[in-house]
Amino acid sequence: PAPSPPPAITAPSPPRALPDPPASSEGYRPAKSSLLRPSTAQAKTFYVYRVQSDADYAPENQNVANLAGAMWYLQNKIVDNRYERRFKRTRLQRFKLTTKAPQPLIDAGMDFGVRLAFDFGQCTGPFDCQKAFEEFGYPVGCNKADEFPTSQWAGKVFYNDATWYSLPGKCSSRKFSEHTAQCSLSEPGGACANPTGQGNCTYSYQAAGEISIDELEGIDSFAKFVAGGGWEYNNKTDHGVHMNFWDGISDAAACRGRLERAARLFDAKFHGNPKTWDLANPPCNFRADQFYAIAGREGR
């Protein structure tokens, strides 16, 4: 079967305060001087979501999604497993993300880089992550769920505009357990308090609420639901047992209904925050041909 996009990493890393934009960029020495200066990009602020277990850790060196992308992932990779949800997922976290693309990326006509994959915090591609960082700094990456680098899902995504993102963090050439102080200096990632568009200051994030999968489905307890013979979703029959919330995986109207329920829950539970669709994601304008014409495709 075609490989799936990597799930959010389950190995926790200690929470940390976001750094201020580095004045001297100590340790970060990109070949392009433009990566040491603020860019002319417009900052973009929108919500992103992470399907998560009960563990708490930062979303850096991980993948997040817009709400449609998170719902697709939930349905296709988490709830279609009887007796337990895959990867011990229990909730849908929301973050308010602000991005500002580095100048080389803006000059190439894009606000986002390639959507990278991570294995326990280590960037695994596509192609050579470090070469891309050398050329473009550490921008937020994006892709439509059915387009490169996950085009194996073409024709199988019925959540409109489902989009995934990557948030490159410190020391992404190594797994979380192998981070060193020197690596964190030379590979700073893009997280900072106030994005400037410098190569190492491309995004900030803050927690903006969460809902449980139980809340989303309208059940009191997953354990009790399973004990009573329930099955959230069977991908062989396209139906659940004692539940119809996920029925109709390829029904665009049913997918839209599930998406709107999630949005309503967030809006009702966190009414002091901007509404879900008021901070909807901007278009993903990453172009693989243009990006790799500059960054190359080494490391295939």
Side-chain angles (χ1 to χ4, degrees), residues 110 114 127 148-149 285-294 297:
M110 292 173 277
V114 62
F127 309 120
F148 176 86
N285 63 358
F286 168 74
R287 300 200 309 275
D289 54 350
Q290 181 70 9
F291 187 89
Y292 286 110
I294 300 170
R297 295 174 183 259

Side-chain angles (χ1 to χ4, degrees), residues 201-258:
C201 187
T202 62
Y203 68 91
S204 66
Y205 57 87
Q206 63 184 77
E210 65 179 58
I211 59 174
S212 70
I213 301 175
D214 289 358
E215 286 178 276
L216 179 65
E217 295 171 339
I219 62 176
D220 294 328
S221 164
F222 178 69
K224 291 180 180 178
F225 172 75
V226 170
W231 187 351
E232 292 166 298
Y233 178 71
N234 181 346
N235 60 8
K236 303 299 183 184
T237 65
D238 195 30
H239 293 284
V241 177
H242 305 323
M243 178 181 291
N244 60 14
F245 181 76
W246 299 103
D247 291 6
I249 196 171
S250 59
D251 183 330
C255 291
R256 186 166 56 253
R258 288 185 282 269

Side-chain angles (χ1 to χ4, degrees), residues 21-46:
S24 62
S25 298
E26 180 183 357
Y28 178 53
R29 299 182 177 88
K32 291 184 174 181
S33 61
S34 61
L35 291 173
L36 293 173
R37 297 191 297 269
S39 75
T40 60
Q42 288 189 333
K44 301 180 183 300
T45 299
F46 54 101

Side-chain angles (χ1 to χ4, degrees), residues 187-205:
E187 301 173 26
C192 58
N194 298 292
T196 62
Q198 292 169 262
N200 56 347
C201 187
T202 62
Y203 68 91
S204 66
Y205 57 87

Side-chain angles (χ1 to χ4, degrees), residues 44 105-106 108-113 142-144 282-288 290:
K44 301 180 183 300
L105 196 60
I106 289 295
M110 292 173 277
D111 295 291
F112 297 96
C142 73
N143 77 295
K144 295 289 189 68
C284 174
N285 63 358
F286 168 74
R287 300 200 309 275
Q290 181 70 9

Side-chain angles (χ1 to χ4, degrees), residues 48-101:
V48 293
Y49 301 80
R50 176 171 68 171
V51 180
Q52 180 63 354
S53 67
D54 289 335
D56 288 313
Y57 47 90
E60 297 171 40
N61 287 339
Q62 294 199 351
N63 297 128
V64 292
N66 68 355
L67 189 54
M71 292 296 291
W72 185 96
Y73 178 75
L74 260 174
Q75 176 147 25
N76 285 268
K77 299 299 172 184
I78 303 302
V79 302
D80 64 336
N81 191 50
R82 197 165 197 177
Y83 305 121
E84 65 178 11
R85 294 170 179 143
R86 286 192 181 90
F87 315 118
K88 302 186 185 299
R89 298 302 190 246
T90 59
R91 55 184 172 150
L92 185 56
Q93 291 180 301
R94 184 173 70 176
F95 299 90
K96 186 167 75 170
L97 180 71
T98 296
T99 72
K100 193 170 185 181

